[in-house]
C-alpha cells in the first residue's frame, strides 16, 4: 500500500511519520534529534526507504525559501541554528524518493492541520502560534497557508516592553521582540528558573500573558483571523489561556466589533485540537496537497 510521509523538522528533533491519510493513525513513526544535517538527514531518509511512498511533506523550522522559482527553493536559509544554514531540504527528499514533495514552515503546517482537522475546523482564516524554545506563527487564509516575500515571522513581532520588566530580551537579532521577551529561554533568563518550575500563580505568567496578548492583538488587527490556536511547550501552562483572553479583550478595547471577541473570546483564543500532533498532521497534509498538484 502506498503511504504519505511527513517530516516535522523542529529545532530539537525531527518527527517522521508514514500514514494512509493525514488524520489516520500513523503506520510508523521515528524521532531523531536535530544535531547536524550530516547526522540527522541520513537517518530520516533511511526510515522512509522502508515504505512505498506516494508523496512527502516537510514542515520545517525556518527561515525557509518557499519561492518556487528560486534556485534555493526548499532550503532552510539563514537560520541561527548551527550547521543548518543553507541546507537543501525539499530538494533532497524529492531527488531521493522521486515523489511529489510539499514544503512549508512548521507553523504554516500546523495552521493548516488545525484548520482542516483540529481546533479551527471549517474556518477559513486561522493563525497558529507556537510558544516554546522559540516563538513562531503560521497563518491560513481562505484555506491556503500564507506565503509572500518569504513567510510570516510572527515570533519576531515588536511588542511594547512592559515598563516594569527589567529583562532585556534574548533574541539574537532584535533583543526585545516577542520571542526575545516571551519564549521559554526568555522566561528562564528573566526569572533564573526553568518555566516548568514556576508555580501557576507566579507573576511570570501574568507578564507572559501580557506579551502574548500584545502579539495576538497585532495579529488580529493585521490578519483578522477567525481563530488563534496557541500551542507549544509554554502553552501547556493552561493558566495562560484565561489570562490571555482577558488581556486581549481589554487591549482591543471594543474596537474590533465582533461578537466572537466581545462575547465569546474563549472560542477565539484556543488550545490546539490536535494536541502535540499539529506539526506531523500538517506535514502529511503538505504531502497530500503536493500529490494533488496544489502549489501550496
Ligand atoms: Zn527577534
Amino acid at each position: 500500500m502506498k503511504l504519505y510521509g511527513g517530516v516535522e523538522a523542529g529545532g530539537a528533533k525531527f518527527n517522521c511519520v508514514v500514514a494512509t491519510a493525514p488524520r489516520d493513525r500513523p503506520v510508523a513513526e521515528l524521532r531523531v534529534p536535530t544535531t547536524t544535517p550530516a547526522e540527522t538527514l541520513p537517518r530520516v531518509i533511511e526510515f522512509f526507504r522502508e515504505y512505498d511512498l506516494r508523496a512527502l511533506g516537510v514542515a520545517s523550522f525556518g527561515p525557509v525559501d518557499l519561492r518556487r522559482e528560486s534556485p534555493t527553493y526548499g532550503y532552510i536559509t539563514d537560520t541561527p541554528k548551527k550547521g543548518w544554514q543553507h541546507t537543501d531540504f525539499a530538494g533532497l527528499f524529492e531527488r531521493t524518493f522521486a515523489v511529489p514533495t510539499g514544503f512549508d514552515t512548521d507553523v504554516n503546517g500546523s495552521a493548516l492541520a488545525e484548520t482542516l482537522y483540529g481546533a479551527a475546523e471549517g474556518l477559513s482564516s486561522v493563525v497558529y502560534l507556537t510558544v516554546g524554545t522559540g516563538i513562531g506563527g503560521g497563518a491560513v487564509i481562505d484555506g491556503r497557508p500564507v506565503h509572500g516575500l518569504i513567510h510570516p515571522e510572527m515570533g519576531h513581532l515588536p511588542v511594547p516592553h512592559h515598563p516594569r520588566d527589567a529583562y532585556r530580551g534574548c533574541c539574537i537579532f532584535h533583543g526585545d521582540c516577542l520571542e526575545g521577551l516571551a519564549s521559554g529561554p526568555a522566561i528562564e533568563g528573566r526569572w533564573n528558573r526553568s518555566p516548568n518550575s514556576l508555580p501557576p500563580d507566579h507573576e511570570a505568567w501574568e507578564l507572559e500573558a501580557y506579551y502574548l496578548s500584545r502579539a495576538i492583538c497585532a495579529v488580529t488587527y493585521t490578519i483578522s483571523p477567525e481563530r488563534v490556536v496557541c500551542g507549544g511547550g509554554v502553552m501547556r501552562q493552561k493558566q495562560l489561556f484565561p489570562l490571555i483572553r482577558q488581556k486581549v479583550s481589554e487591549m482591543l478595547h471594543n474596537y474590533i466589533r465582533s461578537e466572537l471577541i466581545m462575547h465569546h473570546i474563549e472560542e477565539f483564543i484556543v488550545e490546539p485540537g490536535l494536541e502535540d500532533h499539529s506539526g506531523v498532521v500538517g506535514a502529511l497534509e503538505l504531502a497530500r496537497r503536493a500529490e494533488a498538484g496544489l502549489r501550496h
Side-chain angles (χ1 to χ4, degrees):
M1 185 174 44
K2 285 196 174 269
L3 298 164
Y4 292 107
V7 183
E8 179 193 19
K13 63 180 185 310
F14 276 45
N15 288 328
C16 310
V17 294
V18 283
T20 46
R23 203 50 195 107
D24 286 355
R25 206 187 154 85
V27 171
E29 295 177 72
L30 174 77
R31 288 184 173 201
V32 186
T34 311
T35 54
T36 62
E39 213 169 75
T40 304
L41 294 176
R43 292 185 61 190
V44 172
I45 286 171
E46 192 188 339
F47 168 74
F48 285 115
R49 275 199 202 282
E50 300 289 313
Y51 302 94
D52 188 11
L53 297 177
R54 57 198 288 178
L56 253 175
V58 183
S60 173
F61 68 90
V64 294
D65 188 348
L66 300 176
R67 295 164 303 155
R68 284 272 176 185
E69 66 288 357
S70 160
T72 52
Y73 167 77
Y75 278 55
I76 293 182
T77 57
D78 294 305
T79 178
K81 188 149 180 68
K82 252 178 122 176
W84 290 85
Q85 293 90 353
H86 310 287
T87 300
D88 184 10
F89 239 25
L92 171 71
F93 289 112
E94 211 157 21
R95 284 192 305 275
T96 307
F97 297 102
V99 292
T101 301
F103 184 61
D104 214 314
T105 62
D106 47 1
V107 278
N108 265 351
S110 294
L112 198 54
E114 288 292 332
T115 303
L116 291 168
Y117 310 108
E121 207 175 329
L123 301 179
S124 66
S125 296
V126 174
V127 163
Y128 178 91
L129 272 184
T130 181
V131 188
T133 317
I135 299 184
V140 166
I141 294 180
D142 290 336
R144 283 159 54 115
V146 173
H147 297 179
L149 185 63
I150 48 165
H151 46 74
E153 281 285 0
M154 298 178 209
H156 297 271
L157 274 167
V159 285
H161 204 136
H162 194 288
R164 289 195 303 281
D165 178 15
Y167 182 64
R168 295 165 57 108
C170 64
C171 174
I172 59 166
F173 294 98
H174 317 109
D176 65 349
C177 66
L178 177 64
E179 182 171 289
L181 290 169
S183 60
I187 301 172
E188 185 153 353
R190 177 183 295 113
W191 303 101
N192 277 318
R193 291 172 63 171
S194 95
N196 288 333
S197 74
L198 294 164
D201 58 353
H202 193 279
E203 59 184 313
W205 304 117
E206 190 76 32
L207 188 61
E208 180 70 7
Y210 165 84
Y211 287 126
L212 295 175
S213 300
R214 285 290 186 199
I216 291 172
C217 288
V219 165
T220 304
Y221 287 132
T222 47
I223 292 183
S224 205
E226 297 165 280
R227 194 159 291 171
V228 180
V229 182
C230 303
V234 170
M235 295 311 298
R236 288 199 198 109
Q237 302 283 339
K238 303 290 184 207
Q239 70 278 12
L240 282 170
F241 282 90
L243 292 173
I244 292 170
R245 288 174 185 136
Q246 191 196 343
K247 285 183 198 302
V248 167
S249 257
E250 288 165 9
M251 289 170 186
L252 291 176
H253 217 273
N254 286 336
Y255 181 73
I256 303 286
R257 307 300 288 182
S258 141
E259 183 70 13
L260 193 64
I261 288 183
M262 292 197 289
H263 302 295
H264 301 285
I265 192 132
E266 72 286 353
E267 292 172 30
F268 180 63
I269 298 164
V270 302
E271 294 174 33
L274 300 169
E275 296 174 7
D276 294 335
H277 307 296
S278 319
V280 284
V281 173
L284 290 167
E285 176 61 21
L286 293 172
R288 199 192 63 78
R289 294 164 80 86
E291 186 188 42
L294 297 170
R295 284 177 68 83
H296 76 268

